[in-house]
Amino acid sequence: MTFVPYDRPVRAAFVGLGRIYDLNVRGYIGNPGVEVVALVDPNEERRAQRQADWPDAATFASAAELAASGLEVDTAEVLLPVMMHADGVSELLDFGWHVNLQKPMCNSLAEAQRMLDAAKANDRILRVMDNYLFYEPLHRLKTVAESGELGGVVGYHMKMVGTGNGGWDVPWSSFEWQIDQMKRGRGIMVFDDGWHKLTTAIWLFGPIREVRAWIGNLAVGPGIDLETPATLVWEHESGIRGVWDITIAMDMYLRSDYYTNDERWEITGSKGFARVNRCTGRGIQQPSLEVYADGEMRGYHALDDDWGSSFRDSGRYWLRWLHTGEGPLLWSGEEAVDVLRFALAAYESSAKGGIGVDPADVA
Ligand SMILES: NC(=O)c1ccc[n+]([C@@H]2O[C@H](COP(=O)([O-])OP(=O)(O)OC[C@H]3O[C@@H](n4cnc5c(N)ncnc54)[C@H](O)[C@@H]3O)[C@@H](O)[C@H]2O)c1
């Protein structure tokens, strides 16, 4: 890879202008390191709506039209439905643009390889963003775990409750392709939202050597199958074990500015514990991070625990990276494949009755 950092504002195109654009755009607004030159979406209404943010940007119904226009683009912010990632991203890389791709990377290892090959062939960067890695309470949790103040880490757990009421509006069109994904065995709980949780597991404690899973099914409508209740258990190469439980509480109201996820991360150490109490939604109204050690509980009251800020910081990180080329990509395409393997290992384990599966062995 012969990446040369930019010494001028990078010229960016947004490809996909749907629901999550509202948060991804936060890293770009007021950022002198970027010039948003193009907006791409086949949906005319979406183009008109987003044009208000970038009056000087040109709009296109497809990336091919943008490429054919001759407008210079350095990087694409890719916010497409997941099943379009492999073809869409390969096309953009072939145009010679760097790509910042929303998670999940894609549905299969073959699709992932296609994107990695396209990045290599075109000498471009493929980043698979995960905003959770920029959520300040999780950052502080990692720092606490590494500082030794909990003693040695003896285990950890994550919790996800999808609640039925509250939050922002999600248009039916954003949900339709998720139903297609469910039919492909890539559900919204374990795979789509789950991508974040599995990413944080690898980010916190490193490579995984064994995964065991028991993934249930809650049919809430024709073709709408939610993968709950589900329990995933795994062991890192370090020997640390993690467990993640996923449930749906259909009638629960959760205050949230975004999706209605009630989430927790809790690390147990030999002499204390640390817990992130919430993330996407505003569930537990305690400090977003609490640390117990030596008989004392410490609450972190001043962290930026607005989930939306994690998108802003992830976007800014990427745009800064393009100007320096320094530090990890958080996440690189190759690191994202580890997350994909983790998810695929969970599906394989569950299908085989919960046996242990090494993500490295997933075909
Ligand atoms: N980080 C997070 O927490 C988070 C949250 C939600 C969604 N996501 C991810 O973001 C991505 C998009 O999700 P969303 O909820 O915004 O979906 P969405 O359906 O709201 O938006 C997708 C947009 O892509 C457009 N589109 C379709 N085909 C296109 C094409 N060929 N070229 C350009 N645009 C095209 C659609 O018209 C739509 O406007 C997915 O990968 C999803 O998993 C991430």
Side-chain angles (χ1 to χ4, degrees):
M1 184 75 236
T2 52
F3 176 73
V4 181
Y6 292 86
D7 58 2
R8 56 164 174 79
V10 292
R11 296 163 298 197
F14 276 89
V15 180
L17 306 173
R19 178 71 274 193
I20 211 59
Y21 164 94
D22 287 286
L23 294 178
N24 273 79
V25 76
R26 292 190 183 187
Y28 287 72
I29 287 173
N31 191 330
V34 66
E35 193 188 340
V36 175
V37 295
L39 302 171
V40 181
D41 198 302
N43 182 319
E44 198 177 340
E45 251 176 75
R46 280 296 192 200
R47 294 201 299 275
Q49 179 192 16
R50 306 318 190 180
Q51 179 93 77
D53 295 334
W54 312 102
D56 296 333
T59 64
F60 300 90
S62 72
E65 282 177 32
L66 162 56
S69 75
L71 192 68
E72 298 277 348
V73 171
D74 302 309
T75 179
E77 182 82 1
V78 181
L79 313 175
L80 292 169
V82 177
M83 65 285 273
M84 300 178 75
H85 285 186
D87 287 345
V89 166
S90 303
E91 181 188 32
L92 302 174
L93 291 163
D94 284 344
F95 291 146
W97 307 339
H98 301 296
V99 167
N100 190 34
L101 172 67
Q102 254 293 3
K103 51 50 65 181
M105 182 182 196
C106 53
N107 286 334
S108 70
L109 291 170
E111 287 183 342
Q113 195 56 51
R114 195 137 55 84
M115 290 191 270
L116 293 179
D117 290 346
K120 196 172 173 198
N122 293 291
D123 206 15
R124 299 289 90 180
I125 305 285
L126 169 60
R127 177 185 190 235
V128 182
M129 69 183 95
D130 197 311
N131 57 293
Y132 277 55
L133 303 185
F134 293 83
Y135 185 61
E136 195 179 0
L138 286 174
H139 251 263
R140 197 57 72 93
L141 176 76
K142 188 174 196 293
T143 306
V144 166
E146 288 169 359
S147 72
E149 63 189 284
L150 305 177
V153 173
V154 295
Y156 71 111
H157 90 256
M158 301 190 275
K159 181 176 177 66
M160 161 68 173
V161 185
T163 74
N165 295 314
W168 66 359
D169 289 333
V170 179
W172 182 247
S173 56
S174 310
F175 197 57
E176 264 175 333
W177 62 261
Q178 292 282 7
I179 297 173
D180 274 2
Q181 281 285 96
M182 291 169 196
K183 290 177 187 150
R184 290 161 206 243
R186 302 287 180 265
I188 201 165
M189 304 303 291
V190 172
F191 195 71
D192 194 274
D193 172 70
W195 188 275
H196 295 299
K197 273 67 177 190
L198 305 182
T199 303
T200 57
I202 294 175
W203 172 68
L204 284 165
F205 297 118
I208 311 282
R209 67 178 167 211
E210 186 172 328
V211 183
R212 293 170 188 252
W214 188 8
I215 300 173
N217 187 46
L218 177 70
V220 293
I224 307 179
D225 295 303
L226 304 177
E227 304 160 307
T228 65
T231 311
L232 276 63
V233 190
W234 57 87
E235 191 168 81
H236 292 265
E237 280 175 11
S238 63
I240 293 174
R241 283 195 189 175
V243 53
W244 174 35
D245 76 273
I246 316 171
T247 45
I248 296 278
M250 205 50 95
D251 303 319
M252 192 194 296
Y253 169 78
L254 185 79
R255 186 175 164 216
S256 178
D257 298 322
Y258 315 107
Y259 306 95
T260 50
N261 303 348
D262 188 22
E263 298 157 297
R264 254 139 356 259
W265 283 253
E266 180 166 338
I267 296 174
T268 308
S270 59
K271 60 179 209 157
F273 67 84
R275 186 178 61 230
V276 169
N277 285 316
R278 61 175 182 275
C279 183
T280 310
R282 302 198 200 190
I284 296 179
Q285 299 289 304
Q286 308 278 353
S288 49
L289 173 65
E290 293 178 303
V291 179
Y292 172 85
D294 300 324
E296 287 180 9
M297 190 75 148
R298 182 161 177 207
Y300 285 73
H301 291 261
L303 301 178
D304 184 351
D305 50 26
D306 176 353
W307 186 63
S309 298
S310 63
F311 287 83
R312 178 198 64 203
D313 293 346
S314 173
R316 285 182 182 167
Y317 184 89
W318 164 239
L319 294 169
R320 195 168 45 238
W321 194 94
L322 287 175
H323 286 94
T324 62
E326 284 166 8
L329 279 167
L330 295 171
W331 257 175
S332 68
E334 287 78 6
E335 285 168 313
V337 174
D338 292 336
V339 181
L340 179 61
R341 282 188 173 279
F342 191 173
L344 297 180
Y347 282 122
E348 184 177 326
S349 167
S350 186
K352 292 182 174 168
I355 60 162
V357 176
D358 181 342
D361 294 338
V362 172

